[in-house]
Amino acid sequence: PDNSRFLLIYGQCKLLQGGSQNIQAAIQIFESIEEKDDYRVQMFWGAAVERAGVLYDEAAAGVRDGSRTTSAPDRGRRADELQAEARTLWAEAKAHFSKSREIYPGEPQSLGGLVRTTALLGEMEESIAFGRELIESIRGSQRLVMIQLEDEGIDAEKETKLFENQRSNREFEVKTRLHIAFLEEELGRYTKAVAEFDEILVLQPDLPEAHSLKAQLLFDLGEFVKARTSIERFIALRARTASFEDPDIRKAYDLIERCDRAISSSNQG
């Protein structure tokens, strides 16, 4: 019971198992660890509390729409109480991630936790700022990988591991930029959202969803020719794995028709 290293691993196992009982057990385990100045304790503690908040949030949604039973006489009021508890937990999780970041600045998992919890709390500007900080951290890691790959004496096993790290870093940056793009769109900053999709497509040119989402933003910005080009690229990529009856492809063709009408109207004007 006094082995902090074991408790840290045990708490992570409970967190990975998921479910309300395991999540609560993980929180209690992290609370019991004496070394509170270990950034990993704060980081995984924050992740467990964040997950507990998500469970409360899901319960609130279920109570509100009637898909979850409750003994409370007023469903709306009970849903509000559960939602308030979720926000309290997310605020606590944010504090743990912040503490972890203070102890060990630049740790991607702590920054990722701050990106998520600020978004859950509706603090969109903060979430974007943490997201950009996270991207810098990822790119720093990527630069280190590139330096190591240039070593002529590298063995095959290490090279394979480094290539895997390179791929993981790239995927992590894509996910972070997608998050930022969605927030920029929600804030009505469509040009900035498009810029994020441009960066995403540099990293992953064959990501169909990025072309589709970029096309819609370009259409909303009145960039109809560019929107048409982007949605055509989406169709070409999506058609590799889906039929032309796929709902997303049908929507894409609808967008092409809207682009054509808009372009025609602009030319006539």
Side-chain angles (χ1 to χ4, degrees):
D2 298 325
N3 189 322
S4 295
R5 184 164 177 265
F6 166 77
L7 290 172
L8 181 63
I9 296 169
Y10 187 37
Q12 290 177 66
C13 289
K14 287 293 184 181
L15 179 58
L16 288 168
Q17 282 182 301
S20 59
Q21 290 186 338
N22 287 320
I23 296 300
Q24 190 55 46
I27 292 171
Q28 292 173 352
I29 291 167
F30 295 128
E31 286 176 344
S32 72
I33 298 176
E34 291 186 6
E35 286 79 1
K36 298 293 193 299
D37 58 350
D38 185 326
Y39 80 94
R40 296 168 301 175
V41 173
Q42 293 292 335
M43 183 172 68
F44 290 116
W45 192 355
V49 175
E50 176 194 353
R51 181 58 187 153
V54 171
L55 293 175
Y56 271 94
D57 185 57
E58 291 171 349
V63 168
R64 201 178 300 280
D65 66 18
S67 62
R68 186 184 183 97
T69 59
T70 178
S71 58
D74 187 330
R75 278 188 170 275
R77 182 175 179 180
R78 180 56 182 154
D80 289 342
E81 290 171 350
L82 291 167
Q83 186 64 58
E85 182 61 27
R87 290 186 61 82
T88 298
L89 288 166
W90 289 332
E92 181 186 339
K94 178 185 174 183
H96 286 301
F97 288 129
S98 296
K99 180 65 175 177
S100 177
R101 179 168 168 260
E102 288 174 13
I103 298 167
Y104 186 47
E107 165 57 44
Q109 290 189 64
S110 298
L111 282 169
L114 286 168
V115 171
R116 294 191 306 273
T117 50
T118 49
L120 288 166
L121 289 166
E123 299 166 353
M124 293 186 284
E125 295 287 6
E126 267 197 87
S127 187
I128 290 170
F130 283 129
R132 298 203 185 285
E133 188 176 343
L134 176 56
I135 287 169
E136 286 304 310
S137 177
I138 296 167
R139 290 197 160 185
S141 175
Q142 201 74 311
R143 286 191 291 271
L144 180 59
V145 169
M146 292 299 295
I147 291 170
Q148 291 176 300
L149 282 170
E150 290 172 0
D151 182 359
E152 294 180 358
I154 189 173
D155 60 48
E157 183 178 352
K158 185 174 181 181
E159 185 179 52
T160 299
K161 180 64 176 175
L162 287 170
F163 278 127
E164 175 62 23
N165 290 343
Q166 192 177 49
R167 182 190 62 80
S168 297
N169 284 336
R170 186 167 55 249
E171 289 180 355
F172 198 5
E173 182 173 346
V174 166
K175 289 179 181 178
T176 305
R177 287 194 179 278
L178 279 170
H179 174 81
I180 292 172
F182 290 140
L183 291 184
E184 293 285 15
E185 180 184 5
E186 193 170 345
L187 290 167
R189 301 195 294 239
Y190 293 173
T191 301
K192 288 188 175 183
V194 168
E196 289 302 324
F197 282 116
D198 286 339
E199 293 289 343
I200 289 166
L201 290 169
V202 169
L203 294 164
Q204 200 170 338
D206 292 341
L207 184 62
E209 293 77 9
H211 288 284
S212 176
L213 293 165
K214 179 184 174 182
Q216 185 60 61
L217 287 166
L218 287 168
F219 183 88
D220 292 340
L221 285 167
E223 299 281 355
F224 306 121
V225 174
K226 291 180 180 179
R228 196 184 199 286
T229 300
S230 290
I231 203 63
E232 284 177 338
R233 182 59 181 153
F234 164 76
I235 292 171
L237 291 168
R238 190 60 178 268
R240 296 176 183 176
T241 56
S243 73
F244 283 96
E245 295 303 314
D246 181 273
D248 290 333
I249 290 183
R250 292 171 69 91
K251 288 178 183 177
Y253 276 112
D254 287 341
L255 181 56
I256 286 180
E257 290 181 8
R258 289 163 59 201
C259 286
D260 288 342
R261 289 196 298 270
I263 292 167
S264 177
S265 177
S266 297
N267 291 336
Q268 290 174 5

